[in-house]
Amino acid sequence: MPTLPSEFLTVILPYASLFCKRVFVHVQLLVAGAMLAPGKRTITSVLPIMGLSQEKAFHTYHRVLSHARWSALRASRLLLEQLLVVFIGQEPLVVGIDETLERRWG
């Protein structure tokens, strides 16, 4: 398993509360690989970037998205909080909202 830089870990550590310990190990690698992968950021393209192209249990990385229980809403809130800490105070913060981003049916 690759060792990730401490700078990366300080940014991603707040998201650990969204996942169990076992799943969070996989999440760290997927996020780091998604930042490094060129083109489409699929799990299949992320694993070789992280040196896991020969991983026998590659399906466990797919399960992070399909079976693991985590809240995208809570993750987005954590991301917004991190962005606000970085950008507040430097310039006025302008947020554009597009109502077509979320589709609701029925």
Side-chain angles (χ1 to χ4, degrees):
M1 179 121 350
T3 303
L4 300 172
S6 61
E7 294 85 0
F8 175 77
L9 294 176
T10 58
V11 172
I12 198 169
L13 196 58
Y15 298 90
S17 64
L18 300 175
F19 305 94
C20 70
K21 288 181 183 180
R22 193 169 42 118
V23 172
F24 189 63
V25 171
H26 301 302
V27 169
Q28 293 175 49
L29 292 174
L30 290 175
V31 171
M35 290 189 294
L36 298 172
K40 290 187 177 182
R41 281 151 182 88
T42 62
I43 292 175
T44 307
S45 65
V46 164
L47 292 179
I49 293 291
M50 296 306 293
L52 299 170
S53 59
Q54 301 302 317
E55 179 72 27
K56 299 272 190 238
F58 67 91
H59 61 279
T60 57
Y61 293 92
H62 288 273
R63 287 185 181 161
V64 169
L65 299 177
S66 63
H67 290 99
R69 292 186 180 187
W70 57 279
S71 170
L73 184 61
R74 285 183 53 205
S76 63
R77 181 183 175 106
L78 285 170
L79 178 60
L80 177 62
E81 289 172 358
Q82 285 180 319
L83 291 172
L84 290 176
V85 166
V86 171
F87 291 111
I88 292 293
Q90 296 178 7
E91 293 289 327
L93 185 65
V94 178
V95 179
I97 299 175
D98 184 3
E99 72 276 355
T100 62
L101 293 176
E102 182 178 353
R103 305 264 188 240
R104 294 189 181 204
W105 306 98

